[in-house]
Amino acid sequence: GKGRYTKRDGQAYGYAGGIRNDGTVIMNGGKIQDNVAMYYGQGISRDESSMARGAGVYNAGTFTMNGGSIANNICYDNITRMAYSGGGGIYNTGSLSIYGGTFSENKAGMGGAIYNEGYCIIDGADVLINKNSAESTISTAGNSSGGGIYVAAGTVELKEGTLSNNRAHNTASTGMENNSNTIHQGNGGAVHVANTGTKEAPATFIMSGGTIKGNYAYGNTGKEGSYVRCGGGIFIQGGTG
């Protein structure tokens, strides 16, 4: 599916730029690309309850990917751009099984390729999650995290497949306060495991195979030439990994 779900200015109002699934989808090939999920609001106050989600796919059902590509999808809002947005490729609250195919050039504030709150398994030799990015121009906890995958809750299992050349990048000129220092973080170039899950279902990342290589994270501390890099491959904020 190439195109946009149109509600305002050719862009989705919040959720699902390409496909919203509450049932069952099996993707054996084809392309989901060049879609936009945009939260269009007023003012500068934002939190995760009002973020754009799932530019390519918003999955609340069962989504199985055996092949094809999910590429060049972007989540953002009209004020902070990509800061409060999740899942450039897929935002998952259901069951997501990836056995083949590629994710590339997808962008969001958190989870450039995948933002997970449900269950996700990645198990295929030809699965490639490559050159996706989590980007932000403001410094708020969670922003620019998980260039490849952001695990907010639930479980992501990597059994086979490759995460490469993904990035978490924060370019803010002012930042959040942490121990009286201004820090602009890019967390988890490939994977960010957050501390936002519940006691019963903590954010969990399980890796029993596959490859994580060549990913990077960077951000600006507010001092010229000074950067914070947290987890070029995997950043574990909380939960388990």
Side-chain angles (χ1 to χ4, degrees), residues 1 14 19 31 40 42 45 49 68-69 77 79 85 89 94 102 170 191 224 227 233:
I19 296 172
K31 300 176 181 179
Y40 197 100
Q42 301 298 319
S45 177
S49 67
S69 68
D77 73 47
I79 301 298
S85 64
T102 62
N170 191 298
V191 180
E224 185 175 356
Y227 295 88

Side-chain angles (χ1 to χ4, degrees), residues 83-158:
Y84 290 108
S85 64
I90 296 180
Y91 189 106
N92 179 51
T93 64
S95 176
L96 173 62
S97 301
I98 303 169
Y99 301 120
T102 62
F103 291 77
S104 63
E105 303 287 350
N106 300 290
K107 296 179 181 180
M110 294 170 282
I114 299 168
Y115 186 107
N116 185 71
E117 290 183 336
Y119 175 74
C120 172
I121 184 169
I122 302 168
D123 188 6
D126 64 343
V127 174
L128 179 61
I129 300 174
N130 182 59
K131 293 185 178 179
N132 302 280
S133 61
E135 300 181 11
S136 177
T137 57
I138 69 169
S139 270
T140 304
N143 300 145
S144 57
S145 297
I149 301 172
Y150 188 94
V151 188
T155 299
V156 173
E157 290 192 59
L158 175 60

Side-chain angles (χ1 to χ4, degrees), residues 57-75:
V57 177
Y58 183 97
N59 180 53
T62 300
F63 191 99
T64 302
M65 183 176 181
N66 297 313
S69 68
I70 297 177
N72 199 38
N73 301 287
I74 184 171
C75 282

Side-chain angles (χ1 to χ4, degrees), residues 7 9 17 30 51 64 66 82 108 128 131-132 140 145 149 166 176 182 184 188 216:
K7 292 201 74 172
D9 298 332
M51 72 182 191
T64 302
N66 297 313
M82 282 182 285
L128 179 61
K131 293 185 178 179
N132 302 280
T140 304
S145 297
I149 301 172
N166 302 290
M176 68 179 183
T182 302
H184 313 204
Y216 60 100

